[in-house]
Amino acid sequence: MQNVRLLFLFIILQILFIHRYKAQEVETVIKTDFVVRDFEVFKDSIFYIKKRDAFLYDKKTKSSKNYFIGGYGLKINTQENSNTIISVANELVDTVSSIRFYNKKLGEFEDEFFYKKGKILDVLLLEDAKLFVLSLTTNKIIFIDYKDRPEYYKTIEIKLNSLSRKLLYKDNMLYFATDNGNIYKYDFLNYKKTLLHDGNNVITDFSLVDETLIYTTIEGEILKKNLETNEEVKIKIDNNFINTFLKFKDKLICGSWNGKIYVIDINKFTIYQEFNFHKRAIIRIKKDENNIIYSSSLDQTIKSWRLN
């Protein structure tokens, strides 16, 4: 009888474990022959960038149409019913990067901007202000005014002492992280830079939730810091680190270097779930209007899934 009870308990625990670490409706939506570095999810389609082309993939018919955009695509921006694709790319030439406006209806470029002194690490498109913010391999962040395109004007240049791989725009402020472990707030109306966090590890991603700073490091740390009290809590993952994350309700969905996905309860700041959907590093995580999660990876797939 004792053995039967132990067996029953073991089965119950296994069921609970599986439920905890299982997602619903995991599907490989797109399988390509090259890494998808960026994508946009719409109601009926996915727009993604692969090497030198942008692809519009119809989720219902599973058919796609491609547009040549040049360069090696880094980021893409378009709206579901818009004819314009804005693509950000690093060119084959060592020091050249580009931003292109492509008209889908006409099948041609409206105009192009080339930066000939460095590659782009990250970019923000501030459509209301008609500005590009570019983080560059030259240890600089520059603002490009494009309201009079095809004329482009550099309006601000921020000189750094290391690379910045991550930019964030919130409440009319620019936030950026650097490889020396610092995170700054920059008011580009009065050109004031404020240090928010002074660290010593490379920052791989970060976000702001009210007065809370959430950031990850190349040492496998996931940290939450109260900017008012400087109180900090930390999660450490072994032999891995977070590349990118998405805030989803009260959860943080983290994509890691080895392909594992960690779901973190932001309030308790504990790992809530772990998934092994991808075989290699996760590049982007996004969600659609129905709260379906999409993740792209170095394994050359885009997968879709739901949280329990």
Side-chain angles (χ1 to χ4, degrees):
M1 180 62 71
Q2 183 67 21
N3 289 338
V4 173
R5 288 176 179 174
L6 289 174
L7 179 60
F8 180 74
L9 180 60
F10 175 77
I11 293 172
I12 294 297
L13 290 174
Q14 286 291 98
I15 291 172
L16 291 173
F17 179 85
I18 291 170
H19 177 74
R20 178 178 174 82
Y21 289 93
K22 182 181 178 183
Q24 299 174 353
E25 302 176 13
V26 181
E27 178 186 356
T28 300
V29 182
I30 293 171
K31 173 67 178 174
T32 73
D33 58 356
F34 198 80
V35 177
V36 174
R37 299 201 62 84
D38 196 24
F39 63 94
E40 298 281 354
V41 182
F42 304 123
K43 182 178 179 181
D44 298 316
S45 60
I46 298 176
F47 214 95
Y48 67 94
I49 191 168
K50 188 193 76 170
K51 200 181 287 189
R52 300 166 67 82
D53 290 88
F55 293 80
L56 179 62
Y57 176 81
D58 189 304
K59 291 189 284 186
K60 292 182 177 179
T61 65
K62 302 188 184 305
S63 60
S64 64
K65 182 176 182 179
N66 67 299
Y67 308 88
F68 176 78
I69 57 172
Y72 275 84
L74 180 66
K75 284 201 171 183
I76 194 166
N77 180 281
T78 189
Q79 304 299 319
E80 187 166 18
N81 298 314
S82 171
N83 282 321
T84 302
I85 304 169
I86 303 174
S87 64
V88 180
N90 288 318
E91 301 296 312
L92 294 174
V93 180
D94 287 345
T95 59
V96 180
S97 51
S98 65
I99 298 174
R100 291 178 165 97
F101 289 80
Y102 181 88
N103 190 302
K104 291 188 293 183
K105 185 176 182 179
L106 298 177
E108 61 185 34
F109 294 107
E110 296 174 0
D111 53 79
E112 303 163 285
F113 166 80
F114 289 94
Y115 184 78
K116 299 181 179 180
K117 297 180 180 179
K119 300 281 185 148
I120 296 172
L121 296 171
D122 198 11
V123 60
L124 294 175
L125 173 61
L126 310 183
E127 294 185 81
D128 291 341
K130 294 292 186 275
L131 290 172
F132 294 120
V133 185
L134 307 178
S135 177
L136 302 161
T137 54
T138 53
N139 289 2
K140 292 179 181 179
I141 296 173
I142 62 172
F143 288 63
I144 302 296
D145 186 325
Y146 69 93
K147 67 176 178 293
D148 295 325
R149 65 182 180 91
E151 298 295 325
Y152 296 87
Y153 306 97
K154 184 175 73 174
T155 60
I156 297 174
E157 178 176 293
I158 306 171
K159 295 181 179 180
L160 309 173
N161 56 14
S162 66
L163 297 176
S164 174
R165 303 176 193 274
K166 177 67 178 180
L167 303 174
L168 176 69
Y169 178 72
K170 184 178 180 182
D171 299 330
N172 297 315
M173 295 285 179
L174 172 70
Y175 297 83
F176 60 91
T178 65
D179 276 7
N180 60 13
N182 294 337
I183 299 175
Y184 294 91
K185 176 175 72 173
Y186 184 79
D187 185 339
F188 55 87
L189 296 179
N190 60 24
Y191 313 109
K192 181 181 179 181
K193 183 172 72 173
T194 304
L195 179 65
L196 297 180
H197 171 74
D198 185 3
N200 51 24
N201 288 323
V202 174
I203 306 292
T204 55
D205 202 356
F206 75 98
S207 185
L208 286 160
V209 182
D210 299 323
E211 293 301 317
T212 300
L213 173 67
I214 299 175
Y215 66 100
T216 58
T217 76
I218 203 167
E219 297 298 321
E221 300 167 316
I222 309 166
L223 302 104
K224 182 172 74 169
K225 180 178 181 179
N226 187 306
L227 294 177
E228 294 181 338
T229 66
N230 285 326
E231 180 182 359
E232 194 169 77
V233 291
K234 178 173 68 174
I235 297 170
K236 179 71 164 64
I237 57 176
D238 296 325
N239 303 314
N240 198 8
F241 63 89
I242 302 303
N243 287 327
T244 184
F245 59 76
L246 170 73
K247 183 182 180 296
F248 179 73
K249 299 179 181 179
D250 61 344
K251 301 294 189 296
L252 202 68
I253 303 174
C254 303
S256 72
W257 174 250
N258 71 8
K260 182 175 285 188
I261 293 171
Y262 299 86
V263 181
I264 293 173
D265 185 305
I266 294 176
N267 297 321
K268 297 178 181 178
F269 216 64
T270 56
I271 295 176
Y272 174 72
Q273 291 175 307
E274 298 178 26
F275 304 131
N276 291 291
F277 299 151
H278 291 282
K279 297 178 180 178
R280 297 184 63 190
I282 294 167
I283 305 300
R284 292 277 187 271
I285 300 176
K286 298 190 177 183
K287 70 178 184 68
D288 69 10
E289 59 185 13
N290 296 315
N291 288 330
I292 298 175
I293 311 300
Y294 293 79
S295 51
S296 68
S297 164
L298 287 181
D299 66 13
Q300 302 176 3
T301 66
I302 298 178
K303 294 181 182 287
S304 68
W305 43 281
R306 290 182 182 271
L307 288 178
N308 287 329

